[in-house]
Amino acid sequence: MKRTALYPGTFDPITFGHMDVIRRAADLFDRVIVTIAVNPSKHTLFSLRERRKQIERAVQDIPRAEVAECDGLLVDFALQNGAVAIVRGVRAVSDFDYEFQMALTNRKLAEKITTVFLMPHERYAYLNSSIVREVARLGGRVDCFVPDFVAAALEKKFRDVKS
Ligand code: COA
C-alpha cells in the first residue's frame, strides 16, 4: 500500500527550509503532496498561480513530490487523497503551541490522519517567508534563502511595486 503524506502551507514564497522538509518527507513516504492551502482572507504577495508554478519548479527534482491546492478543510483533502499523514516542519519551540493546536484539532476531525513533525536542517531554523519577503522588499539578497527563480520573482515583484 502506498503511503501518502500532505505537506501543507501557504508558501508565500517557498524557501529552502520548506524544500528541506519536503525532501525529508519524500524519504519517508511513497508520495508527498505539497498542498497549497488557499485562504482567500490571507493576503499573499504571490498569487496562487505564481506560488504553484514556483513550487512545481522547486520540487521537480524531488522524487515522489507533487503539488496540489486545497481550499477546504485539510483533513477532508487528506482523506480524499488517501493520505495517512500531515507533515509539518518545526523549527523552534515557538512553533510548538500553534502546531500542537492544529495537530490536535486535525486529529479530532479525522482520527486516522497522523500529524508528523520534521525538523528542517538547523541552517534553516530561523527562516520564514515573511523574513524573506522583508529582505527582498528592502533590496537585500535572498538567493541564500530561496531558489534563484524565486529570488528573481521577488526582485521583480518589488521593482513593479515601486515603479
Ligand atoms: N522553512 C521556512 N519557513 C517555514 C517552514 C520551513 N520549514 N515551515 C514553516 N515556515 C514558515 C512559513 O514560511 C510561514 O511564514 P510566514 O508566516 O512568515 O509567511 C510560517 O512559517 C507559517 O507557515 P505555513 O506552513 O505556511 O503555515 P500557515 O500557518 O500559513 O498554514 C495551514 C497553516 C495551511 C497548514 C493551516 O492553516 C491549514 O491547515 N489550513 C487549511 C484549512 C484547515 O483545515 N484549517 C484547520 C486546520 S486545524
Side-chain angles (χ1 to χ4, degrees):
M1 195 185 72
K2 277 200 166 190
R3 300 233 148 221
T4 299
L6 304 186
Y7 178 50
T10 307
F11 305 108
D12 186 36
I14 189 163
T15 68
F16 287 146
H18 294 122
M19 289 163 66
D20 184 273
V21 173
I22 297 165
R23 279 199 192 88
R24 287 172 201 278
D27 284 343
L28 295 173
F29 292 94
D30 301 306
R31 183 176 170 227
V32 176
I33 308 177
V34 182
T35 308
I36 313 171
V38 183
N39 179 354
S41 64
K42 189 165 178 176
H43 175 77
T44 54
L45 178 67
F46 289 107
S47 68
L48 180 59
R49 196 160 167 265
E50 288 171 319
R51 281 177 285 147
R52 184 175 183 132
K53 278 186 150 184
Q54 290 168 357
I55 301 168
E56 280 171 350
R57 201 162 159 193
V59 304
Q60 68 186 3
D61 296 329
I62 304 180
R64 297 177 290 286
E66 54 192 83
V67 186
E69 294 158 26
C70 162
D71 61 4
L73 260 189
L74 191 66
V75 286
D76 287 347
F77 187 76
L79 293 169
Q80 282 156 17
N81 285 277
V84 294
I86 292 171
V87 169
R88 294 288 291 169
V90 278
R91 294 155 296 171
V93 177
S94 51
D95 282 341
F96 187 76
D97 281 351
Y98 175 57
E99 294 300 335
F100 190 67
Q101 185 184 26
M102 268 206 303
L104 291 183
T105 307
N106 283 331
R107 190 160 74 189
K108 188 79 187 164
L109 294 170
E111 185 110 26
K112 282 187 179 161
I113 313 285
T114 300
T115 299
V116 174
F117 295 111
L118 297 178
M119 275 179 286
H121 194 283
E122 59 271 20
R123 80 170 75 100
Y124 305 124
Y126 60 91
L127 199 54
N128 65 26
S129 300
S130 339
I131 293 266
V132 172
R133 292 194 303 269
E134 180 69 358
V135 172
R137 187 177 68 80
L138 296 169
R141 292 192 60 164
V142 290
D143 49 359
C144 50
F145 306 132
V146 294
D148 52 359
F149 53 90
V150 174
L154 280 161
E155 198 193 317
K156 181 172 183 317
K157 194 62 99 175
F158 288 113
R159 209 186 320 125
D160 291 349
V161 168
K162 273 182 201 153
S163 58

